[in-house]
């Protein structure tokens, strides 16, 4: 089963190889204020949207007719969560199956510059007792080392939900990863720092539609 799924790519999502150079920036439009700050377009916005549409289908197939609480992990997850919920709503409008959704937001912070810090802060998650007995869908933009996701899962499990599923847009191929894969994965990517589609570098680049690789000069320019 695991092998068949790996073969079809469903488990890991769309796998982006280490050799993938990305697309030249000249082939796409992006905000001029980021001119010189980016290396390449790694995943174009349209591809993100197409993949998200399919993830919504998979979620609908598995969870249709269940009530769910969507737990959006801010800030990086806001765009993916909004687009994913949007696609699930569209499917609910156009079929007999439907997923009543509530959306809740929590905030995690653990990165400074392009490095993960030990200090993980969870904000807005002090009292999640309303998750008791509920089906929870955690929506995350990116899973790196897996440490953050593990901590968050432990935190959420303590409130005894009936079921927890995780949707991650990006999963990084990190050496010695302790990560268990999300149930729904958009893309598996190399261990590179990416920005855009709400993913930031010190709060910059969230206002970029494509997922891009930041350039060295971009890192220097926005370094804290
Ligand atoms: N980009 C932005 N934020 C992140 C990343 C990344 O590659 N990995 C973990 N948080
Ligand atoms: Mg960040």
């Amino acid at each position: 089963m695991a092998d068949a799924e790996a073969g079809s790519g469903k488990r890991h999502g769309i796998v982006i190889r280490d050799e993938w150079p990305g697309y030249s920036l000249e082939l796409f439009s992006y905000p001029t204020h980021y001119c010189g700050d980016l290396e390449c377009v790694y995943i174009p916005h349209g591809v993100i949207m197409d993949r998200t549409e399919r993830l919504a289908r998979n979620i609908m197939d598995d969870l249709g007719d269940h009530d769910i609480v969507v737990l959006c992990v801010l800030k990086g997850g806001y765009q993916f969560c909004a687009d994913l919920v949007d696609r699930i709503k569209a499917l609910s409008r156009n079929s007999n199956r439907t997923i009543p959704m509530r959306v809740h937001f929590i905030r995690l912070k653990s990165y400074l510059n392009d490095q993960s810090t030990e200090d993980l802060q969870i904000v807005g998650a002090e009292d999640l007792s309303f998750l008791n007995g509920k089906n929870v869908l955690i929506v995350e933009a990116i899973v790196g080392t897996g440490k953050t996701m593990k901590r968050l899962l432990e935190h959420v499990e303590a409130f005894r939900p009936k079921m927890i599923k995780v949707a991650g847009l990006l999963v990084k191929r990190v050496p010695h990863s302790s990560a268990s894969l999300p149930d729904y994965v958009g893309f598996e990517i190399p261990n590179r720092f990416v920005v855009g589609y709400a993913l930031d570098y010190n709060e910059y680049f969230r206002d970029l539609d494509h997922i891009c690789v930041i350039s060295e000069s971009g890192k220097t320019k926005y370094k804290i």
Side-chain angles (χ1 to χ4, degrees), residues 76 110-111 113-116 140-145 148 170 172 189-196 198-202 204 206 211-212 214:
S110 68
Y111 269 69
N113 296 317
D114 58 355
Q115 297 300 314
S116 175
E140 259 273 36
I142 191 159
V143 178
T145 60
T148 305
L170 306 176
K172 279 192 191 177
I189 65 170
N191 190 13
R192 302 184 71 174
F193 197 80
V194 292
V195 294
L199 287 168
D200 75 308
Y201 176 83
N202 294 333
Y204 289 91
R206 295 197 201 274
I211 290 175
C212 297
I214 187 170

Side-chain angles (χ1 to χ4, degrees), residues 29-35 37-38 45 75-76 78-79 195-212 222:
S29 57
Y30 63 98
T32 49
H33 53 261
Y34 290 134
C35 206
D37 303 336
L38 302 167
H45 182 249
K75 295 180 180 175
Y78 86 81
Q79 194 65 62
V195 294
Y197 196 69
L199 287 168
D200 75 308
Y201 176 83
N202 294 333
E203 300 299 331
Y204 289 91
F205 301 103
R206 295 197 201 274
D207 58 336
L208 171 68
D209 283 339
H210 312 295
I211 290 175
C212 297
Y222 300 105

Side-chain angles (χ1 to χ4, degrees), residues 131-216:
L131 295 181
N132 189 283
K134 299 289 188 301
N135 303 301
V136 180
L137 178 68
I138 297 176
V139 180
E140 259 273 36
I142 191 159
V143 178
T145 60
K147 272 192 287 185
T148 305
M149 182 49 70
K150 194 159 168 280
R151 286 269 313 272
L152 178 61
L153 276 173
E154 286 165 4
H155 188 83
V156 172
E157 274 161 5
F159 295 96
R160 307 233 159 262
K162 183 157 87 188
M163 180 195 76
I164 305 177
K165 298 275 187 191
V166 179
L169 178 63
L170 306 176
V171 172
K172 279 192 191 177
R173 275 193 304 279
V174 178
H176 319 299
S177 166
S178 60
S180 50
L181 274 177
D183 302 281
Y184 307 97
V185 179
F187 302 83
E188 183 192 278
I189 65 170
N191 190 13
R192 302 184 71 174
F193 197 80
V194 292
V195 294
Y197 196 69
L199 287 168
D200 75 308
Y201 176 83
N202 294 333
E203 300 299 331
Y204 289 91
F205 301 103
R206 295 197 201 274
D207 58 336
L208 171 68
D209 283 339
H210 312 295
I211 290 175
C212 297
V213 175
I214 187 170
S215 66
E216 283 309 314

Side-chain angles (χ1 to χ4, degrees), residues 68-74 77-78 81 85 101-107 122-131 136-139 152 155-156:
I68 60 174
V69 178
V70 175
L71 204 56
C72 171
V73 181
L74 298 173
Y78 86 81
C81 185
V85 166
M101 284 181 288
R102 278 183 283 170
V103 186
H104 187 83
F105 300 88
I106 59 171
R107 170 142 192 236
I122 308 181
V123 185
E126 296 79 12
D127 186 15
L128 298 179
S129 51
F130 63 93
L131 295 181
V136 180
L137 178 68
I138 297 176
V139 180
L152 178 61
H155 188 83
V156 172

